[in-house]
DNA sequence: AATGAATGAGCATTCATTCAT
DNA sequence: GATGAATGAATGCTCATTCAT
């Protein structure tokens, strides 16, 4: 019974993940998901409670991972110097590699969902780091813009990249080198 | 009569612009727009013909401006060296300054609309420029990522910036300096 | 002023006649009619009062003509023997020749209009004649069917025939010969 | 459950058949049908998918039967002499007897529907037969008119006749005798 | 646990008609 | 007399959600 239940759960999760990834949260239909999973609508509700909760079930693990990043207070006193941005993007990349579709849904297809602000929060966290450690005198708006740019760059690579992890990590690293290499001292370009 | 007609037109445009900006094209409702404009649904249709056409009325001017950029063939032979990217972002900034909400709708809220690909087209154009003039040996995916990053950075500033044009231009210029300053020779950082 | 008024009237009549003939009463739109006439919707209402009344204005003359036929009581005592059916169809043909589009509208495109029963009434009248004079012992239902058949036959010719009156009269006459030639004595086939 | 489901299906079919028969395809409203069936609009869509499909569900069986007639090529070489017209009308009568309201809807109330040309196609087929076998030298227009007349006559009987099949067959036979009895040799009047 | 029928509010759109100007 | 903006109810259709079985 338990086996069967997990089987159904997994089918729903798989179908919903595909639907959310293809159509986005708002344009996804519970009917489609149920049909794709080969079960009935009512049963999707029995398992997950609703569209929001189903989305949450899928996205929550990725969100937990990212939240560990996001929830680190930026004004902490421990020395958080330059390498951290690399660590952050590494962590993001790891999270992506572990849950590609979920990650892409969360970052690009969550409009209208309970997680609609996820990307903004991640961006805000990165912006905080930039302000504190890399661009200290910088206009906060510029830090936000840099954070958004970095994320968008990374996600563009994520979106179009289908290969394995190591090449991906190189790409992301190169990208960061390009995006941040000009910042004096603190982020020396890797390839010079 | 004419005055009143323009008044209603403007009310509809204002209401629709706000609705599109808040909710995005797909989630905007003609009923809401009509109610917000203080008129009946049928009258919105009398003025604009439909949701698509209403959206088009609002977005078309901005799109015309941007299209001039997008439609420049990237593989042209005339010398198109580095300064061009600055020119591009200047033009984008001017377009934004002339029609702020419309610009933001077109770039961030047009999912599902006839203009849904606008941002991607603009990004592709910038990516083409980068590949050709700034990052010639670069992986095309990296050029796409850089283009996306630059656009996202600029749009983030646009989104949060409420002041006048001159300060904005400075911000965008600083942003580009940060994003591209590391690229050897061709894009010397402005602030050193 | 009077001249102008008639001019407008005529334009509306012409536009409406075409619209009714093409689209039928129900599917015709006051907007289309006004646009086709080159005037405004409100003015159509000023001249004719509404869709029903406009239809009535166009159809009424034809209807008057036909009504003279229809309103002759079938149970009158004067001898109304066989030739009468020919007279009836002659009159119908004359009415058609004088007002082709109006006639076709009334007979084929008046569904949903105040004249929706016109054809049925005409048919009932012919049926009455048939019962009384041509098919006296016949089942009333059969008389109805014959009346309907005769009318449909005639209208089919009307619908597809674009030429002049004399050829049309010949066609109708031949048609009646075919349809009624078998009825003994009273309707001798013309061509034998 | 299954019983109930069929029950609802039948209620919808019954309500829709009545609505289509009374108001015609175009003027029928899904809301009316749902209300008449005692269920909600959405449920009608759940069962039948849409107005067209609902109409199709009702009309399709009758259309299949008639289509067997219509699709017989007229220019075939096998001997197709006079009795065939009788066979055709017999088949039409059988089809009507099996599905009375559906037949009447298809022939008289299908304007605007996917089956709007059904009657014209049937008429054209009969016209072809008449031209080929019964009225060989005849003006094609006259053959069309005769075909239309025959159909209209038959349908008039169908419309007003509520009794059983045998009486109906007699009526149709008599009607054809009247309509075609004059045609020399080939269609000898039955009643002489 | 599973079904899937049923709900009802929502959507974009159309159109005959009215009426202030 | 003429305008055309405005109305508002109607239409076909969708979909997240509920609930009796």
């Amino acid at each position: 019974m338990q086996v069967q239940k997990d089987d159904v759960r997994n089918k729903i999760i798989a179908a919903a993940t595909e639907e959310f990834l293809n159509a986005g949260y708002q344009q996804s239909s519970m009917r489609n998901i149920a049909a794709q999973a080969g079960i009935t609508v009512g049963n999707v509700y029995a398992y997950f409670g609703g569209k929001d909760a189903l989305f949450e079930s899928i996205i929550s693990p990725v969100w937990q991972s990212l939240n560990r990043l996001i929830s680190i207070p930026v004004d902490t006193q421990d020395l958080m110097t330059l390498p951290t941005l690399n660590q952050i993007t590494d962590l993001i990349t790891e999270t992506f590699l572990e849950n590609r579709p979920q990650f892409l849904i969360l970052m690009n297809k969550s409009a209208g969902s309970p997680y609609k602000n996820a990307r903004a929060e991640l961006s805000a966290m990165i912006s905080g780091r930039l302000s504190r450690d890399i661009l200290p005198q910088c206009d906060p708006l510029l830090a936000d813009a840099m954070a958004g740019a970095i994320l968008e760059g990374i996600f563009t690579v994520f979106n179009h990249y289908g290969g394995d992890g190591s090449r991906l990590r190189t790409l992301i690293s190169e990208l960061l080198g390009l995006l941040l290499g000009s910042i004096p001292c603190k982020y020396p370009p890797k390839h010079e």
Side-chain angles (χ1 to χ4, degrees), chain A:
Chain A
M1 185 66 81
Q2 187 62 28
V3 171
Q4 213 182 35
K5 218 180 134 180
D6 279 354
D7 181 47
V8 171
R9 263 191 90 87
N10 292 338
K11 276 193 208 155
I12 298 174
I13 290 285
T17 303
E18 197 185 321
E19 174 93 348
F20 287 140
L21 191 54
N22 291 337
Y25 178 79
Q26 305 223 51
Q27 298 304 305
S28 291
S29 134
M30 295 296 273
R31 273 172 166 71
N32 281 355
I33 291 168
Q36 192 63 34
I39 62 157
T40 57
V41 206
N43 218 15
V44 178
Y45 279 83
Y47 273 85
F48 293 96
K51 201 182 180 184
D52 278 16
L54 173 56
F55 192 76
E56 185 132 353
S57 294
I58 289 170
I59 259 49
S60 161
V62 175
W63 176 242
Q64 299 298 334
S65 298
L66 288 179
N67 216 26
R68 251 169 275 136
L69 272 180
I70 291 170
S71 54
I72 301 172
V74 166
D75 56 358
T76 181
Q77 288 302 329
D78 63 45
L79 281 187
M80 192 65 90
T81 45
L82 266 176
T84 310
L85 187 58
N86 267 329
Q87 287 172 358
I88 291 172
T89 57
D90 282 353
L91 242 161
I92 291 175
T93 306
E94 291 315 309
T95 308
F96 165 70
L97 283 170
E98 284 159 20
N99 294 288
R100 296 193 186 202
Q102 297 86 338
F103 186 96
L104 296 177
I105 292 168
L106 177 58
M107 291 293 120
N108 298 319
K109 306 281 190 166
S110 63
S113 80
Y115 290 96
K116 56 172 171 256
N117 297 320
R119 181 168 174 164
E121 290 177 30
L122 184 56
S123 191
M125 179 268 173
I126 294 178
S127 174
R129 293 303 165 107
L130 288 171
S131 285
R132 190 177 175 286
D133 304 317
I134 303 177
L135 303 161
Q137 264 84 25
C138 164
D139 184 327
L141 186 43
L142 223 49
D144 284 350
M146 286 298 293
I150 292 166
L151 278 184
E152 178 70 21
I154 293 172
F155 296 163
T156 303
V157 176
F158 287 174
N159 254 305
H160 296 73
Y161 180 77
D164 71 353
S166 72
R167 171 95 185 96
L168 179 62
R169 273 180 273 260
T170 310
L171 277 168
I172 297 300
S173 177
E174 284 175 24
L175 177 65
L176 283 179
L178 286 170
L179 287 172
L180 296 167
S182 73
I183 297 166
C185 306
K186 296 204 166 181
Y187 200 90
K190 285 198 170 182
H191 308 292
E192 290 188 346

